[in-house]
Structure formats: structure tokens, C-alpha cells
Amino acid sequence: MNRIGIIEIGVDIFNLTLTEVDDNGYFKILNEIHSSAKLTTSLLDNTKLSEEELNVTIANLKSFKAMCQVSGVKTIIAVATETFREATNSYLLADLIKDLLSIDIKILTVKEEINYNFLAVSHSIYFDNSLLVNIEGCSTHISWVKDGKIKESLSLPIGYLNITSNYNLADEISLEDIQRAEEETLQTLRECAWIKENSFDSIISSDIIVRSLGRIDRPKKKYPLDVAHNYEMYDVDVFNHFDFLIGKDLKSRKTIDGIKTREANIIVGGTLILKNILKLSNIKSVIASSNGLSGGLMYDYILNNFNITEKNMLDYSINGIMDKLNLNKSHAHQVYFIAKKLFKELKPIHKLGNEFDDILKTAALLHDCGTSIDYYNHHRHSFYIILSSEIKGLTHKQMLMSAAIAAYHRNNQFKLPLSQYNSILNKTDLKHIDYIGTILKIAEGLDRSLEGAVKDFSVIINSDKVLIYLNSRVDLEFEINQAMRAAKYFKNLYKKELVIQKF
């Protein structure tokens, strides 16, 4: 096990992300610390960092290094983005920081920054054809990713700081200023012809603007999950939030639920850029990613220092959670093997497609994760552990359905209060949860001895019965009795009698 500290020096903020890496290459975030950078003057007025700004940088890095040492961090990865990249004295300052603090700062090029963000998103969200957008202080990076590769990319000289400063968008906003800001933004964006000439499924972003809009959007919609990663908004949501925000002065914006104090003065300028990218591209969907530059740096570190056998992001995430919680992996995989085959064999009855494969996999492999807290109520704990684990590759609906199915794996009368999630799950989804949950009950019963006794089985469906014939070298009376405890649930749902016998 190793602990890594990721330090990011941005135009208006310093970030420290403390992570823990297991021996299998799975990592989790232990802590995040943010500190105001106040380096905007150099970027907006000139291209040289002042002595005062250098002192601010050194003071923050000194504190971050101390936190890393106290937390047992062995490796520090420090990068600087546009602040140092644009400063004429950046390399002299980087050398000074190395001499004073023994911290090597890598000054990222635009291409490197885009690639790290791509690495982060592509390892945490499934997508085929999207724009990756990162709105920063004085620039906006846009890349077109299709079929897992960056097809086009560019960096535009507009960001939330210079747009805000140039057009007085920090406090009270005049109609004239907002119109002038719109004109400049659109004019700059139109220089990128490939955005307007092609179609895209979504915008995916990890920047401060989209994350802030997500925090505004969820309470307004009374969204039941406080999960930022993979949260989806729509173009009309962004437009409505923009119209709402421009009518507020700075003091009023600071009181809006979801906006952090440091975001209140730049949220209008950043949202204006996002709104115009949406208009130009005609994209309808905006997806937030909690994996940004620090995530990309971590994935780069993992890929270069560990032999990662799991290339699928969902498998990587699930296996990491299983190892972290010390779950019985052989039992989990046996339950998944049985549940997966049962799901396939019962398709003529439940008529569910392959779109439920990831849900079934997650629920089956993590059904016992709640035992890490308490055995007797572990099904309840499994529900909120899955919901709280930010499993890579799952949408919010998939994550919620996986958690609910895992919670139903025991043969008891337990029912989740799923009505509170009706903005995510509809009645059909609840029926699907019951279908797959009953399959998981049977699969759990057939490995209740934890021995992996069932080697294979066949399923025969007739007019009034479903017959499961088990293949094993050992007696299966115990497993069959345990699995048959789900017979009444099966009959109620599938409208057929369940019969399980050893072949």
C-alpha cells in the first residue's frame, strides 16, 4: 500500500489530493484540500508572477508538503497549469520551489493537460462520441473524443476569470455587458469549425463551473442522490440557471444553495461560455465528472507503476472495492456465475436485455459488501455502500438499481423505501429490480455453503414450472433448500413454480 499526494497549482486555487493505492493498483481518495491561489493579477495584467504571488505559492506548497508528511505520503506529484505556463519567469520559480521545498513541479503544456483530463474521464465514464470541455481561469480546453481516441482538440483564450473581469460579470450585471460578453464568446467559438460541423452525444466536464451547476441543479430538482460524478444535466437546465444567475448580484449569488463562496463571482462568466458551446454544438446533454486533472495524473501513475490486469473500468472498480473490504471473492464470483447464467436462461420469461449486464454484475459481486460493517443487517449496509462508492462506469440509475438488487439478496421480508428515488426509478425499473433480485436470492442460496459446489446447471421452462437441474460431485441438499426459500418470490413474479434438483 502506498500513499500519493497530487498538488495542482491553478490560476485561482491550489489543490492537494491525498490518495491511497493498494497493491493491486486500485486507488481511493483520502482527502482533498483547496486553498485560494490569488494568482489572477499576473494573468490578467501581465505575464510575470510577482514576488507576493510567489510567496503565496511557496506558503501553500509548504503547508501541503507538511500535510503529505503527516499523512504518510511517499510520493508527491506536483503540476502547474496556465498560471506558470503563461508566466515568463515560471521556470526560475519552479527551480526556486525545488530548492526551498524539494518539490519538483511539472509545468504542463496544453496538450498534456488535455490528455490527463481525457485519461481521467475515459477511465471513469463510458462514452462513445463526446466533447470534453474544461473551462479554466483564462482558457477553455475542448477535445472531441470518439471511439476512445481524441479526434480533435483546441484551447481557446477565454475562461471564467478573463470573461468575468473584461465584462464586469462578478457582481451586478448590465444588459450591455452581458451582450458584449456573449458576442466575444461566440466569435471565439466560431473559429472552431469542427464543433459546428459535427454532432456529439454530450459534453463531459470536470471543471469548477459544471460541478457548481450540478450542485445548484440537484436541490432544485429535489434529486435524491448527492452524487456529483456522472450527474447529467440538459442544455435547457444550463440556460435556465444562466438566466437565473445573471439576475443576481454577488451577495445574492453567495446565498444560492450549491454555490461555494469562491465560485459566486465567476459562475456567470463560466456558465456563459458553457451555454454558448451548447448552442454552437447543439448538444443537449452535460455530464459532470468528479475525475479531473488529479484523476488523470493518478491513472497515469497507476498505469506506469502497476500491472493492471483489469482494463474494464467497472471490473477495476468492483475488484478494488472487493479487495478493500476484504470480501469473499470466490463466493462473490460463484454467485455471479450462477446469477448470470440464470438471468440468461430466464430471458424468455423476464424479457430483459443485455443492458442489465453491468447492473447484475455489480449487485452479484458486491452483494455481501455490507458485511464489512455488520453481518446481521449487511443487506441494508450493502445498499448504501454501493451507492456511496462512486463505482466507475455506472450511471446513477444503474448504481441505484445495483444497490437495491444487492439489498434484496437475502430471503427475508426486507423492502427498501424506494419511493424516495422516483425521480430516477420508474415502476418498470422497480419491476426489473424484483426480477433480478429474485435471481440473486436463488444464486446466493445455491452457494450458501460457500463451497462453490454447483459446477453447472441447466434450465427447462414449461407452461407452469421452471426446472433447474444442478451438476455437482457433492450432495446439494443444503444448497437446494436454501435456494428454494426464494420459491414464493419466484412464483409471485414469474408466475411459475420453481423446481430445483440435482442432475
Side-chain angles (χ1 to χ4, degrees):
M1 187 177 294
N2 190 16
R3 290 190 172 181
I4 311 293
I6 304 289
I7 296 175
E8 302 170 60
I9 303 174
V11 61
D12 59 342
I13 195 166
F14 296 104
N15 291 321
L16 170 63
T17 304
L18 298 174
T19 63
E20 185 172 80
V21 186
D22 292 338
D23 294 338
N24 61 0
Y26 176 77
F27 74 92
K28 62 177 290 187
I29 295 173
L30 300 177
N31 202 352
E32 282 188 333
I33 302 99
H34 310 290
S35 177
S36 177
K38 299 179 181 179
L39 304 178
T40 59
T41 303
S42 293
L43 277 163
L44 296 175
D45 298 336
N46 56 68
T47 59
K48 185 177 181 179
L49 287 170
S50 67
E51 183 176 349
E52 179 185 357
E53 290 167 332
L54 175 60
N55 289 335
V56 168
T57 302
I58 291 174
N60 277 278
L61 293 181
K62 186 176 181 180
S63 297
F64 283 177
K65 184 176 181 180
M67 291 179 192
C68 288
Q69 290 172 334
V70 170
S71 302
V73 166
K74 302 299 183 184
T75 303
I76 295 177
I77 301 171
V79 299
T81 56
E82 59 186 335
T83 306
F84 274 34
R85 192 165 55 230
E86 299 299 325
T88 56
N89 56 346
S90 60
Y91 287 96
L92 292 175
L93 300 182
D95 289 341
L96 180 59
I97 291 168
K98 182 177 181 179
D99 291 339
L100 291 175
L101 300 174
S102 299
I103 295 176
D104 287 309
I105 295 178
K106 181 178 182 180
I107 302 173
L108 300 180
T109 65
V110 169
K111 184 177 180 180
E112 286 174 328
E113 195 172 341
I114 288 173
N115 284 337
Y116 282 126
N117 280 302
F118 162 68
L119 194 61
V121 173
S122 62
H123 279 78
S124 60
I125 296 175
Y126 288 120
F127 63 99
D128 295 318
N129 179 37
S130 296
L131 287 186
L132 304 191
V133 174
N134 276 283
I135 301 168
E136 299 188 348
C138 293
S139 60
T140 295
H141 306 319
I142 305 175
S143 54
W144 174 15
V145 178
K146 188 171 184 179
D147 300 327
K149 296 180 180 180
I150 297 178
K151 194 175 178 68
E152 299 278 359
S153 67
L154 81 163
S155 183
L156 301 172
I158 50 172
Y160 54 76
L161 283 176
N162 52 14
I163 286 291
T164 298
S165 177
N166 293 342
Y167 298 101
N168 308 307
L169 305 182
D171 201 345
E172 291 187 41
I173 301 170
S174 71
L175 179 61
E176 181 185 359
D177 283 334
I178 203 71
Q179 287 176 339
R180 290 192 304 120
E182 288 258 20
E183 289 171 7
E184 181 191 333
T185 305
L186 282 171
Q187 183 178 350
T188 303
L189 288 169
R190 286 192 188 104
E191 295 175 8
C192 180
W194 56 264
I195 292 180
K196 192 170 184 179
E197 293 170 356
N198 293 280
S199 60
F200 314 95
D201 298 331
S202 63
I203 284 175
I204 304 176
S205 177
S206 61
D207 64 42
I208 190 174
I209 301 302
V210 169
R211 282 186 275 124
S212 182
L213 290 174
R215 288 195 301 272
I216 297 170
D217 197 64
R218 288 192 290 277
K220 280 186 176 293
K221 294 178 179 176
K222 297 182 179 179
Y223 194 71
L225 297 179
D226 188 23
V227 179
H229 185 68
N230 222 349
Y231 180 70
E232 184 176 22
M233 296 178 286
Y234 299 96
D235 57 343
V236 65
D237 297 322
V238 175
F239 302 155
N240 289 339
H241 292 320
F242 179 76
D243 291 340
F244 172 72
L245 289 167
I246 61 173
K248 304 288 183 181
D249 61 15
L250 180 60
K251 184 177 180 181
S252 299
R253 270 182 248 137
K254 289 180 179 179
T255 65
I256 297 172
D257 191 11
I259 295 185
K260 297 179 179 179
T261 302
R262 64 185 177 87
E263 299 165 354
N265 65 327
I266 53 95
I267 186 68
V268 171
T271 306
L272 182 145
I273 296 170
L274 177 63
K275 182 191 81 162
N276 285 309
I277 295 174
L278 285 166
K279 281 188 172 182
L280 185 68
S281 62
N282 199 33
I283 292 173
K284 303 300 180 186
S285 171
V286 179
I287 298 171
S289 169
S290 61
N291 274 17
L293 180 58
S294 63
L297 291 163
M298 274 307 302
Y299 282 116
D300 182 67
Y301 175 86
I302 296 298
L303 293 172
N304 284 302
N305 290 276
F306 291 83
N307 182 22
I308 305 298
T309 57
E310 295 294 349
K311 303 302 182 183
N312 179 287
M313 72 179 76
L314 178 60
D315 292 339
Y316 168 82
S317 197
I318 290 174
N319 284 332
I321 294 168
M322 293 172 73
D323 286 337
K324 179 66 69 176
L325 299 180
N326 197 28
L327 301 184
N328 186 333
K329 295 181 79 170
S330 60
H331 169 62
H333 282 284
Q334 176 70 359
V335 169
Y336 175 48
F337 157 70
I338 296 171
K340 183 180 179 181
K341 185 167 183 179
L342 266 179
F343 179 82
K344 179 181 178 181
E345 297 293 336
L346 293 175
K347 277 187 177 182
I349 310 176
H350 59 59
K351 303 184 187 307
L352 303 181
N354 296 337
E355 66 271 21
F356 293 92
D357 288 353
D358 287 345
I359 295 171
L360 174 61
K361 175 189 286 187
T362 304
L365 291 175
L366 296 180
H367 73 278
D368 276 341
C369 64
T371 58
S372 61
I373 296 175
D374 169 63
Y375 170 75
Y376 293 103
N377 289 295
H378 74 267
H379 53 295
R380 296 174 185 266
H381 302 315
S382 293
F383 176 76
Y384 64 73
I385 286 175
I386 291 174
L387 274 188
S388 303
S389 294
E390 196 179 282
I391 298 171
K392 310 303 182 188
L394 294 184
T395 65
H396 287 193
K397 175 180 280 193
Q398 288 175 318
M399 193 160 54
L400 184 53
M401 292 182 72
S402 299
I405 292 164
Y408 288 159
H409 78 271
R410 302 181 80 182
N411 284 297
N412 54 27
Q413 300 299 319
F414 173 69
K415 280 289 183 182
L416 286 166
L418 291 177
S419 58
Q420 63 183 298
Y421 302 105
N422 57 17
S423 62
I424 301 176
L425 301 176
N426 57 39
K427 290 183 178 180
T428 302
D429 296 323
L430 298 180
K431 190 74 170 178
H432 295 161
I433 288 170
D434 287 337
Y435 275 137
I436 303 174
T438 300
I439 289 173
L440 188 58
K441 288 180 191 287
I442 297 169
E444 164 76 358
L446 290 176
D447 196 51
R448 194 66 182 87
S449 66
L450 309 180
E451 293 182 313
V454 175
K455 300 304 179 185
D456 203 358
F457 60 90
S458 59
V459 177
I460 296 175
I461 303 172
N462 61 31
S463 59
D464 61 343
K465 294 180 182 178
V466 169
L467 299 97
I468 302 175
Y469 293 106
L470 306 175
N471 179 15
S472 178
R473 295 180 179 179
V474 300
D475 180 75
L476 294 176
E477 182 178 356
F478 176 72
E479 285 81 3
I480 291 172
N481 287 338
Q482 291 294 313
M484 284 301 295
R485 294 174 64 191
K488 61 180 179 180
Y489 303 103
F490 188 89
K491 181 69 179 289
N492 289 338
L493 278 171
Y494 288 86
K495 309 306 179 186
K496 295 181 186 292
E497 181 184 352
L498 177 65
V499 178
I500 306 177
Q501 298 176 354
K502 181 180 176 182
F503 179 70

